[in-house]
Amino acid sequence: MKIAIVTETFLPSTDGIVTRLTACIRWLLQAGHDVRIIAPDLGVYEFEGAEVKGVPASTLPFYRSKQFALPNPVVRKYLKEYEPDVVHVVNPAILGFSGVRAAKKLEYPLVASYHTNVAQYLDYYRLSLFKGLIWWYFRKLHNEADLNLCTSNTVQQELIERKFYNVHVWQRGVDTEMFHPKNYDSSIREKLTDGQPERKLLLYVGRLAAEKEIEKLKHVLDTSDEFTLAIVGDGPHRGALEKHFEGTKTVFTGYMHGDQLAKAFASADVFVFPSTTETLGLVILEAMASGLPLVAAKSGPTCEQIEDGRTGLLYDPYKEGDFTETIRCFEDETLRKRLAINAREDIKTLGWSGAARQLLTLYEETAGINEESQKTQQLT
């Protein structure tokens, strides 16, 4: 197949969307398919043999730590030159608007995938008034697609209730070879604990933004001498967080990638996930693959991935003090080790091939390739 992927975010950016995309693109290329990527121009023009066509990008006033590409007619030009069998617009919002419009005008089969709960984020920026408008906009974009994807059953149900059409769950995946308990590194642990490796190390990995509710982690540091905290990642909220955690046993590392990130996961004791706005939370799977037990806010996506009391502990985000009380359960080392073993055991064979193979099948169905093949077989 010739597959065009139009995405709001791609390398060198690092987030769950980019991780999922690169893993599935790699599988598609290895299976002999042709992939063209259209993304914000951040200086990457090739990915493992697939051409990356850049669209001019710049920072936006409300999000200075990341560059975005605005709607641009060059997207239609790129698609027309490539003549794909199917177009996949990933997280259509800004650049994705051009991808959706161009695919429809050129009459290419169109898949769209939903990865970010932007409407829910507005509650954290005093913009709740615009939630209805945001839902209308995303519904309008996604309903131009022949098929829509999302990353959890919870989100699928919400999108269906909000009148999104033909919504399928894109299977989860994680690189269980890269993320593994064997990556423990004493020097990384020394760095993440700021020279106190004997303390239990709590780890947060992700974008630093208000909707992640990272501030909640401070209370456990104030009430127990057992723990240190490492915050891995960057984002628009970093300055406020550094001020909030001032005077506590907290280390901010900025972004970590590849082997360094895998070592950070494997060298910690407990992974913490306070957000309730995620559509999946890929870092949960990366933590589990690394043999880390989890403490996560109870939400639809976390309940789908974490078995409370077996692979991690879920707390009530609306019950005051429940997070700290739950974290302190890990003062019991026996409990921590038991949950760590179960977490790794649950997903040690997951990988990315299932998610990529499912994606290819959905591309073929959307493009009518399976139907054409069946008709050809019947005629012969």
Side-chain angles (χ1 to χ4, degrees):
M1 292 189 75
K2 293 180 70 176
I3 302 159
I5 295 176
V6 182
T7 177
E8 305 279 355
T9 181
F10 199 63
L11 298 171
S13 298
T14 55
D15 56 33
I17 301 172
V18 174
T19 300
R20 175 180 286 266
L21 264 185
T22 51
C24 290
I25 291 170
R26 183 179 293 113
W27 186 93
L28 289 166
L29 292 170
Q30 291 171 352
H33 301 281
D34 192 294
V35 181
R36 177 76 53 86
I37 302 146
I38 301 171
D41 189 345
L42 302 179
V44 174
Y45 304 110
E46 183 269 343
F47 173 71
E48 300 197 7
E51 186 176 1
V52 180
K53 305 292 282 188
V55 178
S58 59
T59 56
L60 299 179
F62 55 85
Y63 205 105
R64 292 290 185 183
S65 62
K66 186 178 176 69
Q67 289 189 316
F68 297 87
L70 298 177
N72 194 312
V74 76
V75 174
R76 182 177 179 179
K77 174 178 175 286
Y78 289 155
L79 289 177
K80 192 171 183 180
E81 288 172 351
Y82 183 55
E83 296 185 337
D85 296 310
V86 65
V87 177
H88 179 179
V89 181
V90 179
N91 227 25
I94 308 173
L95 176 63
F97 173 83
S98 292
V100 170
R101 288 285 300 272
K104 295 306 290 184
K105 285 188 175 181
L106 295 169
E107 299 184 339
Y108 294 135
L110 176 61
V111 173
S113 53
Y114 180 94
H115 300 263
T116 308
N117 201 336
V118 175
Q120 196 173 352
Y121 289 178
L122 296 182
D123 292 336
Y124 295 85
Y125 299 92
R126 300 180 182 178
L127 295 170
S128 302
L129 181 66
F130 298 99
K131 287 173 75 171
L133 178 63
I134 288 293
W135 275 119
W136 171 84
Y137 176 69
F138 285 122
R139 181 170 54 244
K140 186 172 178 61
L141 283 181
H142 277 272
N143 284 349
E144 292 289 329
D146 301 294
L147 181 145
N148 283 298
L149 298 174
C150 65
T151 55
S152 68
N153 294 315
T154 301
V155 173
Q156 179 191 38
Q157 188 58 41
E158 179 171 21
L159 295 181
I160 290 171
E161 289 172 359
R162 293 187 178 277
K163 310 301 181 186
F164 284 59
Y165 302 148
N166 200 15
V167 183
H168 296 249
V169 176
W170 188 354
Q171 295 174 19
R172 61 184 188 154
V174 66
D175 188 339
T176 53
E177 294 182 7
M178 177 178 177
F179 295 98
H180 194 283
K182 68 183 179 184
N183 290 316
Y184 176 90
D185 187 299
S186 58
S187 63
I188 291 289
R189 184 176 176 89
E190 185 83 15
K191 174 184 175 182
L192 296 179
T193 60
D194 196 22
Q196 302 176 78
E198 71 283 355
R199 297 185 187 274
K200 285 191 170 65
L201 173 57
L202 307 178
L203 178 69
Y204 170 87
V205 177
R207 184 164 50 87
L208 307 188
E211 65 272 11
K212 303 297 184 179
E213 301 194 51
I214 303 166
E215 286 88 349
K216 290 182 177 180
L217 306 179
K218 181 175 182 288
H219 189 252
V220 72
L221 301 176
D222 291 336
T223 58
S224 174
D225 286 332
E226 291 256 349
F227 301 98
T228 62
L229 171 66
I231 296 177
V232 176
D234 213 329
H237 204 47
R238 178 169 176 171
L241 286 171
E242 288 180 332
K243 186 174 181 180
H244 181 78
F245 282 93
E246 192 173 357
T248 67
K249 295 183 283 292
T250 303
V251 172
F252 288 81
T253 71
Y255 287 119
M256 297 178 78
H257 308 284
D259 291 342
Q260 290 294 101
L261 179 59
K263 288 177 181 179
F265 272 109
S267 303
D269 294 307
V270 180
F271 189 76
V272 287
F273 192 82
S275 174
T276 58
T277 61
E278 305 301 317
T279 57
L280 177 68
L282 179 59
V283 287
I284 290 176
L285 299 176
E286 292 172 346
M288 292 175 71
S290 302
L292 279 187
L294 300 105
V295 172
K298 192 177 294 183
S299 69
T302 57
C303 288
E304 287 181 34
Q305 299 179 83
I306 301 167
E307 188 176 343
D308 192 21
R310 184 176 171 276
T311 58
L313 300 177
L314 298 172
Y315 70 91
D316 184 347
Y318 305 105
K319 182 180 176 182
E320 188 174 352
D322 198 37
F323 170 73
T324 300
E325 186 178 330
T326 304
I327 284 272
R328 293 194 65 175
C329 290
F330 284 112
E331 291 175 354
D332 177 356
E333 182 64 10
T334 303
L335 172 68
R336 193 198 69 78
K337 286 182 176 178
R338 175 167 59 81
L339 268 58
I341 291 168
N342 291 339
R344 171 67 190 179
E345 189 67 25
D346 257 24
I347 62 166
K348 67 180 183 181
T349 60
L350 187 58
W352 277 111
S353 61
R357 190 174 289 109
Q358 177 207 20
L359 185 63
L360 176 61
T361 298
L362 293 171
Y363 284 163
E364 290 173 340
E365 290 175 357
T366 304
I369 287 177
N370 283 348
E371 294 173 12
E372 291 174 11
S373 176
Q374 288 169 6
K375 288 177 181 177
T376 301
Q377 289 175 8
Q378 288 170 2
L379 289 172
T380 56

